[in-house]
Amino acid sequence: MATFRGADSTLLPAAHVADFPYAVAYSEFNSGNLIAQAINADAIDLGGWSEIPMVFAAAAKSNVAVVATLEGPTTDQAVLTPANSPYKSISDLRGKRVGYIRATTAHYFLIRMLEQAGLSWTDIQPVALSMSEGLTAIKSGSLDAWATYGYAIQILETAGAARVLQSAADILSGHYFIGANPRKLGDPAFRAAAADYLDRLNRAYATLEADKALWAKVVSPVIHVPEDVVLAYLRAQNRPYRARAWRQDDIVSAEAVARTFAKAGVLPQDANVAAVFSPALSKLLPG
């Protein structure tokens, strides 16, 4: 099972729903595109990502299957700039070095923000970086801005190293996906375990949504961000997490994302997004 730092492997035990009747081994990742690559390589059986790694996987005809949708907040996604930079808006980034995490929400919302500002991808100096590389680069001052997500934002803000230039909260759909290893979906025991795991994940999120102080308490030492900062971040989330069966409108939304990347010349025009969706768990999950 793929997890992010401070996510499933922390949250399910905290909510007392980690008493699995099957074996669960976690592997930690810091971006959804790496999880999709790991499933394609037969190294992981289940993991989550946003619409963006999924459309890249579809374009590459990767061996992955979307089996569920995870609705979630969009308030933890933003373009950051060094705290002492002179930039006031995205339009100020013309000709500047802007970091991003390829094939993730950061890649997508950066393209959309540039479009909104009347700029294109070629109007900036885009620098594809991993999460750890981006953290180092923005702290060192070698980037003018960085499109990123998650607790990296709080880590940098808390350290006084960066500030939010623009939030992506109103750009992203809030649709995240649960991907599975297609090689395992023919096994009824795997399907049952995967559905049970997602039920436990929903129960964990419901428990912690009702007690965000507990959520912050268990996550803070794992991600090395002060508890009060984590709590403020959790309280600012604009919607809760909830796993459910995917719907047709999820495919439509993902296809719109694919068209954005195709227009920017990043993906081919003929990426078959719908082909990645599998109904293998649909009858086992809430709608």
Side-chain angles (χ1 to χ4, degrees), residues 81-89 92-93 96 143-145 163 165:
T81 190
N84 60 354
S85 83
Y87 311 123
K88 304 297 182 185
S89 68
D92 294 330
L93 298 180
K96 305 303 181 184
L143 290 177
D144 296 296
R163 57 181 170 82
L165 187 64

Side-chain angles (χ1 to χ4, degrees), residues 25-131:
Y26 286 107
S27 295
E28 188 176 294
F29 295 81
N30 58 29
S31 65
N33 61 326
L34 298 178
I35 295 174
Q37 290 171 24
I39 289 180
N40 180 58
D42 199 19
I44 292 291
D45 293 326
L46 202 66
W49 52 68
S50 70
E51 291 169 310
I52 289 74
M54 190 275 292
V55 300
F56 275 81
K61 297 181 172 60
S62 297
N63 200 13
V64 301
V66 169
V67 292
T69 296
L70 178 66
E71 298 174 349
T74 58
T75 40
D76 57 348
Q77 317 260 347
V79 170
L80 304 179
T81 190
N84 60 354
S85 83
Y87 311 123
K88 304 297 182 185
S89 68
I90 297 296
S91 59
D92 294 330
L93 298 180
R94 184 187 295 272
K96 305 303 181 184
R97 286 175 55 84
V98 183
Y100 69 102
I101 307 165
R102 186 182 181 278
T104 67
T105 49
H107 195 169
Y108 174 69
F109 69 68
L110 178 56
I111 291 174
R112 289 286 307 279
M113 287 179 183
L114 290 168
E115 290 177 345
Q116 291 174 355
L119 302 176
S120 70
W121 197 247
T122 58
D123 289 319
I124 63 169
Q125 298 180 52
V127 184
L129 299 168
S130 68
M131 177 66 76

Side-chain angles (χ1 to χ4, degrees), residues 10 214-228 230:
T10 300
L214 172 62
W215 194 340
K217 182 177 181 179
V218 298
V219 167
S220 173
V222 176
I223 63 171
H224 308 296
V225 176
E227 191 173 321
D228 60 332
V230 177

Side-chain angles (χ1 to χ4, degrees), residues 201-222:
L201 187 62
N202 273 343
R203 284 187 279 151
Y205 277 127
T207 296
L208 296 169
E209 179 70 23
D211 190 351
K212 289 190 173 179
L214 172 62
W215 194 340
K217 182 177 181 179
V218 298
V219 167
S220 173
V222 176

Side-chain angles (χ1 to χ4, degrees), residues 263-282:
K263 181 181 176 182
V266 178
L267 287 180
Q269 297 284 346
D270 60 350
N272 188 355
V273 171
V276 180
F277 287 77
S278 166
L281 300 187
S282 295

